Amino acid sequence: MLYAPVPSPEPMHIPDGFLSVTVSVILWGISIIVIAYALKRVNADLGERQIPLMGVLAAAIFAGQMLNFTVAGGTSGHLMGAAIATILLGPWAAVLVMTTVISIQALIFQDGGMLALGANIFNMAVIGVAVSYVAYTTIVSLTSNRKWGVFMGGFLSAWSSIVVTSLAVALQLALSGTSPANLAVPAMAAIHAIIGIGEGLITVGALALVYSTRPDLLKLGQAGPKGGKLVWVIGLLLAIGLAILSPLASANPDGLERVAEQKGFLGIAKGPIYEVIPDYVLPGISNEALATILAGVLGVIIVFGVALAVAYMRRSRQVSGD
Amino acid sequence: MHIHFLDPYQPRLSPVHRLDPRVKFVLAVAFILTTAITPPGAWPVYILLLAIVLAVEILSDLGVGYVLRRSMLAIPFVLAAFPVIFTLEGLTVFSLDIGPWMLTASQPGLERFISIALKSWISVQAAIILAGSTPFPDLLVAMRAVKVPRLLVAIFGLMWRYLFVMVDEAMRLLRARAARSGHADRSDLKPGGKLVWRGRMAGGMAGSLFLRAFERSDRIYMAMAARGYNGEVHSFALPSLSPANWLVLGLSLAVLLILLIISILIFG
């Protein structure tokens, strides 16, 4: 029996290579600012308890992502965790916990890239947490803290955090010129509207248990943290902004493409490689462009073959040497 | 049953393992950054980058096969870049006739798609070498050296220490459920209960995992306080880098810089 830590099936952790350098660097900048502020706030609120609490809960969220349930033969739903972390810990601590989880996933398990880590933190630890916070606090205060309000708030905050995060991912991919907005946005939104239901169900299940055994942990709804209003407003703006921006971008992908080109996101026009290395083509293929690509691929295969051969020889030498 | 297979670190006696973790960390990030900046279609540069990463793999004794197996993780994401083949305008390479649609693959589209896939594959291999050849505590040292906030590094460290404990707990929960009710990994088995019920059960398990984590963190805090912890993170001063490590760092960065300049001058 191996419940090996599989990479999360939802396309949320962006690997390296998919985001342009500009997008990566900007999102790193935003994430660093948010993390720095969250560190300050959590340190003020929790003091010396911060390190053990954050560390162990990050480990719990990581492990909690392994708890899946069968949806239909072969597929399963499971947890991202931003919503449950926000509800139980408040927004700032949740930012730190999610940052820790995502960083370890990237650094150790290559679930998400290192250069793309800033973007992944921005999506899951900043947007995911902010949207969860807005949805949960709004619904809980509207229903004046009744039991069904807590559960409904939990479900909706989990669902909307997944969906809005996926919209952000789609927009970043479009801005980087990796996938066209008119395909990426609807596809991501549709997939995650379904995945979000699984997240919502798990979150409600977790809340139900906490509600009946440790109701004291659910105080966030009653006494919001200092600066909670600010988080609320920013979260709402993020959610609305992404919800409006992404359909717009998807309806008018050329617009986004133009923005991307003007800002230099899409990389500069390619130089005349054929002039610099005139013979860098394969003979027998009339289409020069295709020949260049094929030559590139062939080069990769050759390098790869040589590496495998060297590795193999080295191993057999070691075996005979022993 | 304990979960030890989680840690990707592979103990070996290779030169890559012996390299200072700070040097390795900086070089891995610099390598990935170089790969990211390389413009699409700069095939010779990609080939050189791939050759470098494969050479380090061989040097590290991790085994090319091991790194390749792990590098397959990023493959599903390549789907996200797939449409770009058909949406960029340019020289037509081939056309696909699928029912009512006509998909035209353009040369810039194909070029960008292959570039993205290659970049991603090369970068993930560098990250795998770093994680496979550096024990986690050494990675923490490297993070401290590049000025990641101390508190964050301490949280990372504590998370790693309890990760295996929490994953063991999660596996116990999963085993208990598998013994009693609602989960089926195989598609020909019918899981128990309705979908909503199964979702809430998984949620209950997550909830109990979090409650246990809360209580555990209380105990950990008390144990730390009993041993004199007062919120300060104490750590040893970082030793200075040996001349050999400086040499490796300088030479490697110079090579990456040259590659970068070539790629931008010729293909930019």
Side-chain angles (χ1 to χ4, degrees):
Chain A
M1 179 202 72
L2 280 184
Y3 291 105
V6 283
S8 34
E10 65 260 41
M12 283 285 201
H13 297 71
I14 307 174
D16 279 325
F18 287 80
L19 291 181
S20 70
V21 178
T22 321
V23 171
S24 310
V25 168
I26 292 174
L27 294 178
W28 256 121
I30 301 175
S31 297
I32 287 173
I33 294 169
V34 176
I35 294 169
Y37 187 68
L39 274 173
K40 215 176 98 190
R41 287 298 310 269
V42 174
N43 206 14
D45 291 347
L46 286 173
E48 53 194 57
R49 310 193 50 136
Q50 177 188 21
I51 293 175
L53 185 62
M54 302 289 99
V56 176
L57 273 161
I61 296 269
F62 186 100
Q65 292 183 344
M66 295 169 70
L67 301 173
N68 55 355
F69 65 98
T70 313
V71 172
T75 59
S76 62
H78 75 145
L79 201 64
M80 174 172 88
I84 189 77
T86 311
I87 294 168
L88 293 180
L89 299 169
W92 299 114
V95 166
L96 291 189
V97 165
M98 290 308 291
T99 299
T100 306
V101 173
I102 298 158
S103 306
I104 299 294
Q105 280 171 336
L107 212 58
I108 303 296
F109 303 106
Q110 287 78 48
D111 202 2
M114 304 239 277
L115 194 62
L117 179 59
N120 287 327
I121 291 176
F122 177 74
N123 294 334
M124 283 176 272
V126 179
I127 293 186
V129 167
V131 170
S132 301
Y133 184 74
V134 171
Y136 183 72
T137 48
T138 309
I139 291 169
V140 166
S141 65
L142 278 181
T143 57
S144 47
N145 236 334
R146 287 198 191 86
K147 190 177 173 184
W148 63 270
V150 170
F151 292 163
M152 200 172 92
F155 184 87
L156 284 178
S157 75
W159 186 84
S160 51
S161 73
I162 294 282
V163 173
V164 177
T165 300
S166 79
L167 290 180
V169 172
L171 276 183
Q172 287 153 16
L173 290 177
L175 267 177
S176 303
T178 299
S179 24
N182 55 346
L183 283 171
V185 171
M188 287 291 270
I191 295 170
H192 288 87
I194 298 168
I195 291 179
I197 295 176
E199 175 93 4
L201 286 176
I202 297 191
T203 304
V204 171
L207 278 179
L209 185 83
V210 176
Y211 196 90
S212 53
T213 52
R214 287 285 301 275
D216 56 303
L217 291 176
L218 292 173
K219 276 184 299 204
L220 170 73
Q222 289 130 20
K226 259 195 306 184
K229 281 233 172 59
L230 183 70
V231 184
W232 195 87
V233 171
I234 292 175
L236 191 66
L237 287 179
L238 272 176
I240 293 177
L242 282 168
I244 292 175
L245 203 63
S246 37
L248 272 182
S250 129
N252 186 10
D254 301 340
L256 196 67
E257 197 103 314
R258 250 198 318 277
V259 172
E261 261 156 23
Q262 277 164 5
K263 301 269 183 246
F265 283 156
L266 286 190
I268 329 96
K270 266 168 303 309
I273 29 177
Y274 321 117
E275 280 134 51
V276 178
I277 312 176
D279 294 323
Y280 185 58
V281 286
L282 282 184
I285 293 173
S286 52
N287 185 336
E288 206 176 349
L290 186 62
T292 320
I293 295 176
L294 283 179
V297 172
L298 198 64
V300 168
I301 294 172
I302 291 172
V303 167
F304 194 60
V306 170
L308 279 183
V310 171
Y312 182 76
M313 274 156 56
R314 211 173 125 97
R315 181 189 283 177
S316 45
R317 205 178 52 216
Q318 269 173 358
V319 169
S320 61
D322 293 341
Chain B
M1 172 164 176
H2 294 289
I3 181 150
H4 297 303
F5 52 84
L6 205 59
D7 190 348
Y9 173 65
Q10 306 281 317
R12 301 274 189 282
L13 288 169
S14 79
V16 180
H17 284 67
R18 281 197 298 269
L19 198 60
D20 191 282
R22 292 166 282 179
V23 175
K24 265 188 276 189
F25 188 82
V26 170
L27 286 182
V29 173
F31 182 86
I32 291 171
L33 191 64
T34 309
T35 312
I37 298 174
T38 304
W43 310 117
V45 180
Y46 291 149
I47 293 171
L48 285 174
L49 288 169
L50 182 66
I52 293 174
V53 90
L54 286 170
V56 177
E57 263 158 47
I58 294 169
L59 202 63
S60 73
D61 268 348
L62 288 173
V64 176
Y66 168 82
V67 178
L68 286 184
R69 264 197 311 282
R70 287 191 75 97
S71 73
M72 296 301 135
L73 284 179
I75 280 191
F77 214 91
V78 172
L79 267 183
F82 195 67
V84 90
I85 300 178
F86 305 104
T87 53
L88 282 190
E89 280 169 28
L91 210 62
T92 302
V93 177
F94 63 87
S95 302
L96 282 180
D97 223 344
I98 310 172
W101 295 291
M102 181 76 166
L103 292 177
T104 323
S106 68
Q107 186 241 326
L110 207 57
E111 200 168 272
R112 184 168 302 162
F113 174 73
I114 299 178
S115 300
I116 289 170
L118 269 180
K119 277 182 177 193
S120 160
W121 187 52
I122 294 170
S123 309
V124 81
Q125 292 188 56
I128 292 168
I129 297 173
L130 177 68
S133 71
T134 321
F136 190 75
D138 287 0
L139 279 179
L140 292 179
V141 169
M143 279 187 261
R144 260 179 64 207
V146 297
K147 304 288 180 238
V148 176
R150 263 165 174 242
L151 269 174
L152 207 56
V153 175
I155 294 175
F156 285 3
L158 211 100
M159 181 214 179
W160 184 251
R161 195 171 298 176
Y162 286 94
L163 182 63
F164 301 88
V165 178
M166 296 319 291
V167 170
D168 271 349
E169 293 242 23
M171 282 173 58
R172 273 201 293 280
L173 287 164
L174 286 168
R175 203 154 54 231
R177 180 183 64 180
R180 294 178 184 86
S181 71
H183 187 71
D185 282 322
R186 276 162 44 196
S187 51
D188 53 331
L189 292 178
K190 202 174 156 3
K194 291 235 160 47
L195 178 64
V196 171
W197 182 83
R198 290 199 297 271
R200 285 200 50 178
M201 285 313 104
M205 290 156 68
S208 72
L209 193 67
F210 293 140
L211 288 183
R212 290 180 203 181
F214 266 110
E215 283 153 15
R216 188 182 291 276
S217 83
D218 268 348
R219 293 200 302 275
I220 293 166
Y221 167 65
M222 281 184 270
M224 286 164 79
R227 288 162 181 77
Y229 170 71
N230 59 357
E232 275 300 302
V233 186
H234 297 284
S235 32
F236 288 114
L238 297 172
S240 54
L241 277 181
S242 71
N245 274 309
W246 275 116
L247 191 68
V248 173
L249 182 66
L251 282 180
S252 313
L253 285 180
V255 168
L256 287 178
L257 194 66
I258 292 170
L259 270 182
L260 199 58
I261 292 171
I262 291 177
S263 77
I264 289 176
L265 279 187
I266 301 184
F267 303 101

